[in-house]
Amino acid sequence: MKALVINCTLKKSPETSNTEALFRTVTEHLEKDGVEVDVVRAVDLDIAPGVVSEAVREGDAWPGVHEKILASEILVIASPTWLGQPSSVAKRVLERMDAMLSETDDDGRPVAYNRVAGVVVTGNEDGAHHVISEITGGLQDIGYTIPGQAWTYWNQGPGPGPSFLEGGSGHDWSRRTGRAMAANLLGVAQALAARPLGPPPE
């Protein structure tokens, strides 16, 4: 089984990403259970604006990301919180994934059927639940299955505070919920692999 994490940090490689530090809690648990994990840091790529899976212009990197999405049974969108919102990078990713609404497999199923998804959020401000709702809502529209509690976040509440890597309270909780997220994603992905959803009724 394969998992893809799309890290929607605003920081280009090799800058340290608090979002990556938290999602590694999830991926380490998946890898222990034999899942092959791939990571894309979207800000490192030239992803053009648009709502199609094909290249919008020369150099558009989205088609390669789309291929990785379709090769994975598990998808994790990881985003920082800014002004209580998902990052602009996360919104760009979701906009491009909008095209998947009309894409089907050979059996007429939406291509996101029988795939699971979850969300990781970091930020030293409030808004994590809003970000989780925004991202999971879009993924459900596309056809992903969202298992219960398929999320973890680092959130220091209203006002400024330390980032995930700077310490503070809540690390154990964030890591524990990350491990639960990984277990729930894998469990539901395995269940769908054993008893896949069919195409929607006509």
Side-chain angles (χ1 to χ4, degrees):
M1 193 158 286
K2 293 183 179 180
L4 174 67
V5 181
I6 303 181
N7 183 3
C8 298
T9 178
L10 302 183
K11 299 173 181 174
K12 288 195 171 187
S13 299
E15 288 188 74
T16 300
S17 166
N18 286 282
T19 304
E20 179 171 354
L22 181 53
F23 78 61
R24 288 295 179 187
T25 299
V26 179
T27 57
E28 286 168 8
H29 195 81
L30 288 171
E31 287 170 331
K32 285 180 182 177
D33 285 326
V35 177
E36 181 182 333
V37 175
D38 192 8
V39 176
V40 169
R41 190 180 287 206
V43 76
D44 287 343
L45 305 176
D46 179 10
I47 297 175
V51 289
V52 296
S53 295
E54 305 79 32
V56 173
R57 52 170 165 71
E58 186 176 352
D60 181 10
W62 182 254
V65 179
H66 183 252
E67 285 183 16
K68 290 176 182 285
I69 290 171
L70 295 184
S72 305
E73 293 85 4
I74 299 170
L75 174 67
V76 174
I77 302 291
S79 175
T81 310
W82 298 109
L83 297 176
Q85 303 289 321
S87 74
S88 58
V89 177
K91 292 186 176 184
R92 174 68 55 86
V93 166
L94 289 172
E95 283 174 350
R96 294 303 297 266
M97 290 183 72
D98 181 86
M100 293 171 64
L101 281 165
S102 58
E103 296 173 6
T104 56
D105 65 15
D106 293 339
D107 296 319
R109 289 177 293 207
V111 291
Y113 269 33
N114 301 310
R115 303 176 194 275
V116 300
V119 182
V120 172
V121 181
T122 55
N124 58 6
E125 58 176 87
D126 56 358
H129 275 121
H130 175 72
V131 172
I132 292 165
S133 297
E134 290 239 325
I135 295 174
T136 57
L139 294 172
Q140 283 179 314
D141 279 352
I142 294 166
Y144 277 91
T145 296
I146 311 296
Q149 298 184 345
W151 47 258
T152 186
Y153 64 87
W154 164 259
N155 189 321
Q156 283 296 280
S163 298
F164 181 73
L165 287 169
E166 293 173 339
S169 62
H171 275 92
D172 289 345
W173 182 88
S174 294
R175 292 190 176 102
R176 185 171 65 252
T177 53
R179 292 191 294 271
M181 170 186 174
N184 294 343
L185 286 169
L186 181 56
V188 175
Q190 290 171 331
L192 287 169
R195 297 193 65 180
L197 298 170
E202 292 290 340

Short mmCIF file of all heavy atoms in Angstrom, two decimals, residues 51-82:
data_model
loop_
_atom_site.label_atom_id
_atom_site.label_comp_id
_atom_site.label_asym_id
_atom_site.label_seq_id
_atom_site.Cartn_x
_atom_site.Cartn_y
_atom_site.Cartn_z
N VAL A 51 -7.82 24.36 -12.81
CA VAL A 51 -8.69 23.31 -12.31
C VAL A 51 -8.71 22.13 -13.28
O VAL A 51 -9.74 21.51 -13.52
CB VAL A 51 -10.13 23.84 -12.05
CG1 VAL A 51 -10.15 24.75 -10.84
CG2 VAL A 51 -10.67 24.57 -13.28
N VAL A 52 -7.54 21.82 -13.84
CA VAL A 52 -7.39 20.67 -14.73
C VAL A 52 -6.19 19.84 -14.27
O VAL A 52 -5.30 20.34 -13.59
CB VAL A 52 -7.19 21.10 -16.20
CG1 VAL A 52 -8.42 21.83 -16.72
CG2 VAL A 52 -5.94 21.94 -16.36
N SER A 53 -6.19 18.57 -14.63
CA SER A 53 -5.07 17.69 -14.26
C SER A 53 -3.92 17.78 -15.25
O SER A 53 -2.79 17.45 -14.91
CB SER A 53 -5.56 16.24 -14.17
OG SER A 53 -6.49 16.09 -13.13
N GLU A 54 -4.22 18.23 -16.48
CA GLU A 54 -3.17 18.38 -17.48
C GLU A 54 -2.36 19.65 -17.20
O GLU A 54 -2.77 20.51 -16.44
CB GLU A 54 -3.78 18.47 -18.88
CG GLU A 54 -4.68 17.32 -19.26
CD GLU A 54 -6.06 17.43 -18.67
OE1 GLU A 54 -6.56 18.57 -18.49
OE2 GLU A 54 -6.65 16.39 -18.34
N ALA A 55 -1.21 19.74 -17.85
CA ALA A 55 -0.38 20.93 -17.70
C ALA A 55 -1.12 22.15 -18.25
O ALA A 55 -1.69 22.11 -19.34
CB ALA A 55 0.94 20.75 -18.44
N VAL A 56 -1.11 23.22 -17.46
CA VAL A 56 -1.75 24.46 -17.88
C VAL A 56 -0.83 25.24 -18.82
O VAL A 56 -1.28 25.93 -19.73
CB VAL A 56 -2.10 25.32 -16.64
CG1 VAL A 56 -2.60 26.70 -17.04
CG2 VAL A 56 -3.15 24.60 -15.79
N ARG A 57 0.45 25.11 -18.57
CA ARG A 57 1.45 25.80 -19.38
C ARG A 57 2.74 25.01 -19.29
O ARG A 57 2.86 24.07 -18.51
CB ARG A 57 1.65 27.23 -18.88
CG ARG A 57 1.94 27.33 -17.40
CD ARG A 57 2.36 28.72 -17.00
NE ARG A 57 2.29 28.95 -15.56
CZ ARG A 57 3.11 28.43 -14.66
NH1 ARG A 57 4.07 27.61 -15.05
NH2 ARG A 57 2.99 28.72 -13.37
N GLU A 58 3.72 25.41 -20.08
CA GLU A 58 5.01 24.72 -20.07
C GLU A 58 5.65 24.83 -18.68
O GLU A 58 5.68 25.91 -18.09
CB GLU A 58 5.95 25.34 -21.12
CG GLU A 58 7.25 24.60 -21.28
CD GLU A 58 8.12 25.16 -22.38
OE1 GLU A 58 7.64 26.05 -23.13
OE2 GLU A 58 9.27 24.71 -22.50
N GLY A 59 6.14 23.73 -18.19
CA GLY A 59 6.78 23.71 -16.88
C GLY A 59 5.85 23.45 -15.72
O GLY A 59 6.31 23.31 -14.58
N ASP A 60 4.55 23.37 -15.97
CA ASP A 60 3.58 23.11 -14.91
C ASP A 60 3.85 21.72 -14.33
O ASP A 60 3.80 20.71 -15.04
CB ASP A 60 2.17 23.19 -15.48
CG ASP A 60 1.08 22.96 -14.45
OD1 ASP A 60 1.40 22.91 -13.24
OD2 ASP A 60 -0.09 22.83 -14.85
N ALA A 61 4.12 21.66 -13.02
CA ALA A 61 4.50 20.39 -12.39
C ALA A 61 3.31 19.57 -11.91
O ALA A 61 3.50 18.45 -11.42
CB ALA A 61 5.43 20.67 -11.20
N TRP A 62 2.08 20.10 -12.02
CA TRP A 62 0.95 19.39 -11.44
C TRP A 62 0.72 17.99 -12.03
O TRP A 62 0.39 17.06 -11.27
CB TRP A 62 -0.33 20.20 -11.55
CG TRP A 62 -1.47 19.45 -10.91
CD1 TRP A 62 -2.49 18.80 -11.52
CD2 TRP A 62 -1.63 19.21 -9.50
NE1 TRP A 62 -3.29 18.18 -10.60
CE2 TRP A 62 -2.78 18.41 -9.35
CE3 TRP A 62 -0.90 19.58 -8.38
CZ2 TRP A 62 -3.24 17.99 -8.10
CZ3 TRP A 62 -1.34 19.16 -7.12
CH2 TRP A 62 -2.50 18.38 -7.00
N PRO A 63 0.86 17.76 -13.34
CA PRO A 63 0.60 16.41 -13.85
C PRO A 63 1.41 15.33 -13.12
O PRO A 63 0.90 14.23 -12.88
CB PRO A 63 0.99 16.51 -15.32
CG PRO A 63 0.70 17.93 -15.67
CD PRO A 63 1.13 18.71 -14.45
N GLY A 64 2.64 15.63 -12.75
CA GLY A 64 3.44 14.66 -12.00
C GLY A 64 2.90 14.40 -10.61
O GLY A 64 2.91 13.26 -10.13
N VAL A 65 2.40 15.45 -9.95
CA VAL A 65 1.79 15.28 -8.63
C VAL A 65 0.50 14.47 -8.76
O VAL A 65 0.22 13.58 -7.95
CB VAL A 65 1.50 16.65 -7.98
CG1 VAL A 65 0.84 16.47 -6.62
CG2 VAL A 65 2.78 17.47 -7.86
N HIS A 66 -0.27 14.76 -9.80
CA HIS A 66 -1.52 14.02 -10.04
C HIS A 66 -1.23 12.53 -10.20
O HIS A 66 -1.98 11.69 -9.68
CB HIS A 66 -2.19 14.60 -11.29
CG HIS A 66 -3.50 13.98 -11.62
ND1 HIS A 66 -3.65 13.13 -12.70
CD2 HIS A 66 -4.72 14.06 -11.03
CE1 HIS A 66 -4.91 12.72 -12.76
NE2 HIS A 66 -5.58 13.27 -11.77
N GLU A 67 -0.17 12.19 -10.90
CA GLU A 67 0.20 10.78 -11.06
C GLU A 67 0.50 10.14 -9.72
O GLU A 67 0.10 9.00 -9.45
CB GLU A 67 1.43 10.66 -11.97
CG GLU A 67 1.14 10.88 -13.45
CD GLU A 67 2.37 10.67 -14.30
OE1 GLU A 67 3.35 10.07 -13.80
OE2 GLU A 67 2.36 11.10 -15.47
N LYS A 68 1.21 10.87 -8.86
CA LYS A 68 1.52 10.34 -7.52
C LYS A 68 0.25 10.15 -6.69
O LYS A 68 0.12 9.18 -5.93
CB LYS A 68 2.48 11.28 -6.79
CG LYS A 68 3.89 11.32 -7.35
CD LYS A 68 4.74 12.35 -6.63
CE LYS A 68 6.15 12.44 -7.20
NZ LYS A 68 6.97 11.29 -6.76
N ILE A 69 -0.70 11.07 -6.82
CA ILE A 69 -1.97 10.95 -6.11
C ILE A 69 -2.69 9.67 -6.53
O ILE A 69 -3.18 8.91 -5.70
CB ILE A 69 -2.86 12.19 -6.37
CG1 ILE A 69 -2.26 13.42 -5.67
CG2 ILE A 69 -4.28 11.95 -5.89
CD1 ILE A 69 -2.95 14.72 -6.04
N LEU A 70 -2.74 9.42 -7.84
CA LEU A 70 -3.45 8.26 -8.35
C LEU A 70 -2.72 6.95 -8.05
O LEU A 70 -3.33 5.88 -8.10
CB LEU A 70 -3.68 8.39 -9.86
CG LEU A 70 -4.60 9.53 -10.31
CD1 LEU A 70 -4.81 9.48 -11.82
CD2 LEU A 70 -5.94 9.49 -9.58
N ALA A 71 -1.45 7.03 -7.73
CA ALA A 71 -0.67 5.83 -7.39
C ALA A 71 -0.77 5.50 -5.91
O ALA A 71 -0.19 4.49 -5.47
CB ALA A 71 0.79 6.03 -7.78
N SER A 72 -1.48 6.30 -5.13
CA SER A 72 -1.51 6.15 -3.67
C SER A 72 -2.92 5.87 -3.16
O SER A 72 -3.88 6.52 -3.58
CB SER A 72 -0.99 7.43 -3.01
OG SER A 72 0.30 7.75 -3.49
N GLU A 73 -3.02 4.92 -2.25
CA GLU A 73 -4.31 4.63 -1.61
C GLU A 73 -4.59 5.57 -0.45
O GLU A 73 -5.74 5.73 -0.03
CB GLU A 73 -4.33 3.18 -1.10
CG GLU A 73 -4.31 2.12 -2.17
CD GLU A 73 -2.89 1.77 -2.65
OE1 GLU A 73 -1.92 2.29 -2.07
OE2 GLU A 73 -2.77 0.97 -3.58
N ILE A 74 -3.53 6.18 0.08
CA ILE A 74 -3.65 7.07 1.24
C ILE A 74 -3.07 8.43 0.86
O ILE A 74 -1.97 8.51 0.32
CB ILE A 74 -2.89 6.51 2.46
CG1 ILE A 74 -3.47 5.15 2.88
CG2 ILE A 74 -2.93 7.49 3.62
CD1 ILE A 74 -2.63 4.42 3.92
N LEU A 75 -3.82 9.49 1.15
CA LEU A 75 -3.36 10.85 0.89
C LEU A 75 -3.42 11.65 2.19
O LEU A 75 -4.43 11.61 2.90
CB LEU A 75 -4.24 11.53 -0.16
CG LEU A 75 -3.96 13.01 -0.43
CD1 LEU A 75 -2.59 13.19 -1.09
CD2 LEU A 75 -5.05 13.62 -1.31
N VAL A 76 -2.35 12.37 2.47
CA VAL A 76 -2.33 13.28 3.61
C VAL A 76 -2.00 14.68 3.09
O VAL A 76 -0.99 14.87 2.41
CB VAL A 76 -1.28 12.86 4.67
CG1 VAL A 76 -1.17 13.91 5.77
CG2 VAL A 76 -1.63 11.50 5.25
N ILE A 77 -2.88 15.62 3.38
CA ILE A 77 -2.60 17.02 3.10
C ILE A 77 -2.14 17.66 4.39
O ILE A 77 -2.85 17.62 5.41
CB ILE A 77 -3.86 17.76 2.57
CG1 ILE A 77 -4.40 17.10 1.30
CG2 ILE A 77 -3.53 19.23 2.31
CD1 ILE A 77 -3.54 17.23 0.08
N ALA A 78 -0.96 18.24 4.39
CA ALA A 78 -0.39 18.86 5.59
C ALA A 78 -0.22 20.35 5.33
O ALA A 78 0.40 20.75 4.35
CB ALA A 78 0.96 18.22 5.92
N SER A 79 -0.79 21.16 6.22
CA SER A 79 -0.80 22.61 5.98
C SER A 79 -0.59 23.38 7.27
O SER A 79 -1.13 23.02 8.31
CB SER A 79 -2.15 23.04 5.37
OG SER A 79 -2.23 24.45 5.24
N PRO A 80 0.14 24.48 7.21
CA PRO A 80 0.14 25.42 8.32
C PRO A 80 -1.15 26.23 8.33
O PRO A 80 -1.91 26.21 7.35
CB PRO A 80 1.35 26.31 8.03
CG PRO A 80 1.48 26.28 6.54
CD PRO A 80 1.03 24.91 6.11
N THR A 81 -1.39 26.89 9.44
CA THR A 81 -2.54 27.79 9.57
C THR A 81 -2.06 29.22 9.48
O THR A 81 -1.14 29.61 10.20
CB THR A 81 -3.22 27.60 10.94
OG1 THR A 81 -3.45 26.23 11.18
CG2 THR A 81 -4.52 28.36 11.02
N TRP A 82 -2.69 30.01 8.63
CA TRP A 82 -2.40 31.44 8.55
C TRP A 82 -3.74 32.19 8.57
O TRP A 82 -4.60 31.95 7.72
CB TRP A 82 -1.60 31.79 7.30
CG TRP A 82 -0.25 31.11 7.27
CD1 TRP A 82 0.16 30.09 6.46
CD2 TRP A 82 0.85 31.40 8.15
NE1 TRP A 82 1.45 29.73 6.76
CE2 TRP A 82 1.90 30.51 7.81
CE3 TRP A 82 1.05 32.31 9.19
CZ2 TRP A 82 3.13 30.51 8.45
CZ3 TRP A 82 2.28 32.30 9.84
CH2 TRP A 82 3.30 31.42 9.47
#
